[in-house]
Amino acid sequence: MPQPLHFNAFVMNTTSHIHHGQWRRPDAGQTEFNDVDTWIGLAQTLEAAKFDGMFFADVTGLYGDADADFDVYVREGLQIPSNDPTVLLGALAVKTRNIGLALTSNVAQNHPFNFARQVSTLDHISGGRIAWNIVTGVQDNGARNFGLDQLTDHAERYEWAQEYVDVAYKLWEGSWDEGALLKDKERGIFSDPSKIHKIYHEGKRYRVEGPHLPSPSAQRTPVLYQAGSSASGRAFAARNAEAVFIISANPDVAALQIADTRRQAVEAGRNPEDIKFFQGLSFIIGETEEEALAKAREYDQYVSVDGYLAHAAIVDKTGRVYPADTPLSEVDTNTMKGFQEWVSKAITDREPVVGDLARLQAQNTRVVGTPEQIADELEKWQAAGVDGINVINWVIPGSFEEFADKVMPVLRERGVAQSEYAEGPLRQKLFGAARLNDRHPAARYRGAFASGPGSWAEADAARAAQEAGAVSAGA
């Protein structure tokens, strides 16, 4: 029997996330995204269906040309208005017991010390069910919202992300030793000061003293997602990610991306199976193939071409939007590099253009058919190396209710979906252990600060000595 696929609901705390125009349908409940009961009800539906997680996307600004008008985004409800998923996860954590809760947070939007504290708090509240989707941003407007002139260069953003996660790893894994939290009422010792350490991190962007204020949560470090599919993104994922979200055009393209990332993971000292890959797909389900195709035509009537084009807008390095008919070979951008590579591999009979991004987003990641046909298709993705599916909705909650009621039973019969949750925190459910394995780079910070510097002066002197040694060795 095959290993079951993992299933996440891929959602966003907004009206129009991926499939633009569908919020106009009479059965579309995502227009009520401000109502926490919308999300509590969905979370409980997904948990009853034994989904592994709810994966929340997020943005920190508008797409496209930051200096142009943004009427189309407001008119379409295209990720504006939108709310912070980190806050919402606290509410969902206390209304569920098993389902994983993944948030997206851009390295520019929160200082790593504060972010690490928020995540530890959520992991405590949820009993160890939090995951973090590490992103570097794709919008000039989002960068400006945090004081930058424009989006930082693509490769430099991943260098920034590496320092960001290193700070978080030091806080989550190294600041508190095992057994530091005592709660000893008899001796009047709540925590053992000899087992709690400052980290004295200093890098290009951050200077963080510590210690981490929360005690270790069930997972310490949340499950680490990453969604970058560019060359820089895959290299970052190979070093850091435990789960990678991909949107490949077909199983063959997915297999290439998965193989390349797993190869790089081995080069980084990890095992290929240390990373799970989740393909994003949406589904149109019918009792017969004819019914499914008829439903697809109905959904197509609500498609907003303007919405898809606005979402897929690619800007050049000065922030100007490329016209839809621009050949991808002429595009030079800091954003959407992974999607460019994906489209170039998906279209081989002609020169792909920018507008193909929107068209493929609307059509190529949807599966139309009966529950049995959908199960057949998912087994093809599984054979290509995909470990899980991020289910993209057309409407909330109906898309997920239909998938749970009609497709999941067929998948369970084939052993391709779980029937019950495994015990323990989210990482234990996915990988069999609650904590990061020793091959992960965060593990090197365990115990690293037990005999470390006692002040910034000592920390600075140690760094200077280390740098001098490196220069001497190089000479």
Side-chain angles (χ1 to χ4, degrees):
M1 295 292 288
Q3 289 293 313
L5 285 168
H6 301 290
F7 288 90
N8 292 328
F10 185 47
V11 292
M12 186 173 175
N13 200 354
T14 191
T15 287
S16 193
H17 174 206
I18 298 292
H19 287 308
H20 304 297
Q22 299 300 324
W23 63 268
R24 297 178 294 124
R25 288 177 57 90
D27 58 341
Q30 60 262 41
T31 52
E32 307 311 307
F33 73 92
N34 283 323
D35 186 347
V36 70
D37 288 334
T38 296
W39 299 108
I40 290 172
L42 177 59
Q44 292 173 341
T45 294
L46 295 167
E47 189 166 68
K50 305 301 185 291
F51 268 65
D52 293 84
M54 293 180 75
F55 185 125
F56 279 87
D58 194 29
V59 292
T60 57
L62 303 169
Y63 292 87
D65 187 336
D67 293 319
D69 70 64
F70 51 92
D71 296 8
V72 64
Y73 301 99
V74 175
R75 187 172 62 249
E76 296 286 337
L78 199 166
Q79 302 182 15
I80 178 174
S82 65
N83 296 335
D84 186 345
T86 307
V87 178
L88 178 59
L89 260 56
L92 302 184
V94 299
K95 292 293 185 178
T96 55
R97 295 187 61 187
N98 283 290
I99 193 166
L101 301 168
L103 63 97
T104 295
S105 184
N106 184 333
V107 297
Q109 76 184 75
N110 203 342
H111 191 282
F113 179 84
N114 190 58
F115 177 72
R117 188 184 188 203
Q118 290 176 325
V119 167
S120 292
T121 303
L122 284 171
D123 210 47
H124 279 302
I125 292 171
S126 65
R129 292 184 284 130
I130 301 301
W132 170 31
N133 177 34
I134 309 164
V135 296
T136 63
V138 295
Q139 304 139 327
D140 278 345
N141 176 243
R144 291 181 184 182
N145 287 334
F146 295 97
L148 301 173
D149 293 331
Q150 65 181 104
L151 196 65
T152 306
D153 179 74
H154 186 265
E156 187 179 344
R157 292 205 307 276
Y158 278 103
E159 293 177 10
W160 180 354
Q162 190 59 59
E163 184 182 356
Y164 192 100
V165 298
D166 282 341
V167 174
Y169 295 160
K170 290 175 181 179
L171 293 166
W172 287 324
E173 297 290 334
S175 187
W176 288 64
D177 295 341
E178 294 294 338
L181 186 67
L182 300 175
K183 300 183 184 179
D184 190 332
K185 294 184 178 182
E186 216 171 276
R187 293 189 296 156
I189 304 174
F190 197 81
S191 301
D192 182 348
S194 71
K195 294 185 176 182
I196 301 171
H197 317 288
K198 294 183 176 182
I199 64 169
Y200 294 109
H201 171 90
E202 182 165 16
K204 181 178 179 180
R205 291 184 179 270
Y206 300 107
R207 183 176 169 94
V208 180
E209 182 168 296
H212 192 42
L213 295 182
S215 60
S217 65
Q219 298 185 117
R220 282 190 178 256
T221 298
V223 172
L224 299 167
Y225 271 88
Q226 205 270 335
S229 55
S230 66
S232 297
R234 290 197 299 275
F236 181 87
R239 292 190 302 271
N240 297 280
E242 297 175 274
V244 174
F245 176 23
I246 61 175
I247 304 185
S248 294
N250 55 59
D252 291 338
V253 173
L256 293 173
Q257 182 175 341
I258 290 168
D260 179 67
T261 307
R262 287 192 163 136
R263 174 189 58 77
Q264 292 188 60
V266 171
E267 292 173 354
R270 304 175 70 195
N271 289 348
E273 64 272 16
D274 287 343
I275 306 176
K276 293 183 181 293
F277 291 83
F278 286 71
Q279 166 71 18
L281 293 171
S282 52
F283 302 91
I284 299 178
I285 309 160
E287 295 299 328
T288 65
E289 185 175 357
E290 291 73 20
E291 180 185 331
L293 291 170
K295 288 173 70 173
R297 290 191 291 271
E298 179 188 342
Y299 278 97
D300 287 342
Q301 292 176 9
Y302 288 92
V303 163
S304 169
V305 175
D306 286 347
Y308 281 108
L309 287 172
H311 191 176
I314 295 181
V315 298
D316 64 23
K317 290 187 176 180
T318 68
R320 306 289 79 78
V321 172
Y322 282 102
D325 60 355
T326 306
L328 285 184
S329 60
E330 298 177 10
V331 168
D332 184 16
T333 180
N334 274 327
T335 71
M336 310 285 278
K337 286 183 177 289
F339 282 103
Q340 287 178 252
E341 294 175 16
W342 167 59
V343 172
S344 297
K345 291 175 180 175
I347 298 175
T348 58
D349 60 341
R350 60 176 173 80
E351 172 76 6
V353 297
V354 168
D356 289 322
L357 279 171
R359 286 183 281 274
L360 285 176
Q361 186 181 15
Q363 297 291 334
N364 271 36
T365 58
R366 77 179 189 181
V367 182
V368 181
T370 66
E372 291 75 17
Q373 289 173 325
I374 288 170
D376 292 343
E377 191 67 22
L378 291 181
E379 287 181 327
K380 294 177 185 176
W381 287 97
Q382 188 178 40
V386 165
D387 303 284
I389 304 297
N390 278 347
V391 181
I392 301 168
N393 65 276
W394 303 89
V395 295
I396 288 176
S399 295
F400 297 113
E401 291 174 337
E402 189 174 37
F403 190 87
D405 292 343
K406 296 182 178 180
V407 179
M408 290 295 270
V410 176
L411 296 172
R412 280 193 282 267
E413 286 177 9
R414 300 187 186 191
V416 186
Q418 66 181 1
S419 298
E420 297 295 337
Y421 286 106
E423 293 296 320
L426 178 59
R427 182 176 287 108
Q428 187 169 332
K429 288 177 167 64
L430 295 174
F431 292 97
R435 302 286 174 82
L436 282 166
N437 64 49
D438 291 340
R439 295 180 295 275
H440 193 278
R444 69 179 181 269
Y445 297 120
R446 294 169 185 162
F449 306 105
S451 57
S455 67
W456 273 113
E458 291 181 20
D460 292 341
R463 269 189 291 271
Q466 186 177 29
E467 289 170 6
V471 170
S472 176

